[in-house]
């Protein structure tokens, strides 16, 4: 017997409950998926994408990695984005980070951690970009949380700057990019104010979103 039998058992009872409540649920999903949203989030186990926005299987296309990064050479993330935009025609791309992100906290320090340093380098570059603002926050947790916010905004901007999104906007496809952050401590999502649906709006939306509180 598998040492993961308890999970297989949970799966059986879940499938049975869904099937009883909605007999057409699985057959409908088996034919196609039609999600309206692409979620790009952190791999953290405390931030389960579907659950925190109350969406069912089939309603949210998901990509997750350490610290919700959108790196311009990451074929994995870009392939997800291309499929979501060009084939599924999602209308929203949500980059959702979370406060207290371990990846961001690690990037705040300079300790060598091995392979993941190359990944965290992208966040360390953002830290360098906002060094002065971050240095003015005396509390370490608050400093990490501000970098969590800035990281989301930068990654959402990266989404906007991909040729996938740029081409979609040029052909007039409805597509909005959002930057959100989730609070593990209260289960609530904050909209960071970067909601962009056209190239012309990107620069100003980004400028306002990254401005320190009250300085936009
Ligand atoms: Co995280």
């Amino acid at each position: 017997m598998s040492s993961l039998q308890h999970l297989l058992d949970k799966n059986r009872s879940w499938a049975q409950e869904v099937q009883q409540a909605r007999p057409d649920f699985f057959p409908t999903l088996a034919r196609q998926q039609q999600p309206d949203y692409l979620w790009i989030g952190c791999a953290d186990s405390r931030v389960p994408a579907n659950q925190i926005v109350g969406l069912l299987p089939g309603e949210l296309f998901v990509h997750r990695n350490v610290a919700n990064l959108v790196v311009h050479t990451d074929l994995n993330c870009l392939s997800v984005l291309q499929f979501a935009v060009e084939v599924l025609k999602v209308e929203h791309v949500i980059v959702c980070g979370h406060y207290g992100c371990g990846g961001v906290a690690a990037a705040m320090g300079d300790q060598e951690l091995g392979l993941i340093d190359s990944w965290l380098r992208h966040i360390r570059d953002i830290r360098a970009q906002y060094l002065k603002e971050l240095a003015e926050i005396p509390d370490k947790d608050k400093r990490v949380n501000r970098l969590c916010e800035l990281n989301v905004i930068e990654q959402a901007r990266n989404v906007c700057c991909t040729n996938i999104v740029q081409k979609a906007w040029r052909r007039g496809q409805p597509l909005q990019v959002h930057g959100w952050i989730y609070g593990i401590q209260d289960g609530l999502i904050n909209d960071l104010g970067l909601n962009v649906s056209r190239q012309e709006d990107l620069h100003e939306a980004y400028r306002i979103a990254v401005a320190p509180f009250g300085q936009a």
Side-chain angles (χ1 to χ4, degrees):
M1 186 183 275
S2 164
S3 57
L4 295 180
Q5 192 56 44
H6 57 297
L7 295 184
L8 297 171
D9 291 344
K10 274 175 188 277
N11 165 255
R12 290 291 178 281
S13 46
W14 171 77
Q16 210 172 6
E17 277 167 36
V18 175
Q19 161 73 21
Q20 272 163 7
R22 288 179 59 181
D24 62 330
F25 187 78
F26 291 120
T28 306
L29 279 188
R31 282 194 294 278
Q32 62 169 341
Q33 59 168 338
Q34 271 183 318
D36 290 330
Y37 320 94
L38 165 61
W39 175 278
I40 299 175
C42 183
D44 194 301
S45 65
R46 297 165 296 178
V47 195
N50 282 66
Q51 224 168 337
I52 63 177
V53 284
L55 291 177
L56 292 169
E59 295 181 330
L60 190 66
F61 202 61
V62 173
H63 177 79
R64 291 169 68 179
N65 60 38
V66 170
N68 41 269
L69 300 190
V70 178
V71 176
H72 288 301
T73 51
D74 178 2
L75 295 181
N76 183 353
C77 181
L78 294 176
S79 300
V80 169
L81 181 65
Q82 183 183 17
F83 188 74
V85 171
E86 295 181 5
V87 180
L88 298 173
K89 302 219 165 19
V90 297
E91 296 198 358
H92 302 271
V93 178
I94 301 157
V95 176
C96 187
H98 65 100
Y99 291 118
C101 180
V104 173
M108 191 63 104
D110 290 312
Q111 202 189 337
E112 273 188 39
L113 301 165
L115 173 72
I116 198 167
D117 284 318
S118 303
W119 188 249
L120 298 181
R121 186 66 249 168
H122 298 288
I123 314 172
R124 289 190 171 122
D125 288 345
I126 298 171
R127 180 190 68 174
Q129 199 179 325
Y130 296 96
L131 203 58
K132 189 168 165 290
E133 181 192 337
L134 292 167
E136 284 165 6
I137 305 171
D139 182 75
K140 183 171 173 278
D141 292 344
K142 285 187 181 148
R143 202 157 59 235
V144 168
N145 285 343
R146 179 59 182 151
L147 186 54
C148 289
E149 292 178 345
L150 291 166
N151 179 47
V152 167
I153 297 163
E154 293 295 335
Q155 304 313 321
R157 181 175 179 274
N158 285 350
V159 171
C160 296
C161 293
T162 59
N163 62 358
I164 300 159
V165 170
Q166 296 273 317
K167 277 195 300 188
W169 282 343
R170 275 203 299 274
R171 62 177 176 261
Q173 184 177 331
L175 181 64
Q176 196 166 17
V177 178
H178 312 264
W180 286 359
I181 193 154
Y182 174 76
I184 288 173
Q185 71 291 345
D186 58 11
L188 298 176
I189 292 170
N190 267 344
D191 182 340
L192 289 173
L194 188 94
N195 299 284
V196 186
S197 51
R198 351 178 271 166
Q199 173 61 29
E200 301 88 293
D201 297 339
L202 174 59
H203 182 74
E204 184 63 3
Y206 170 77
R207 190 188 68 78
I208 293 169
V210 294
F213 186 69
Q215 291 181 33

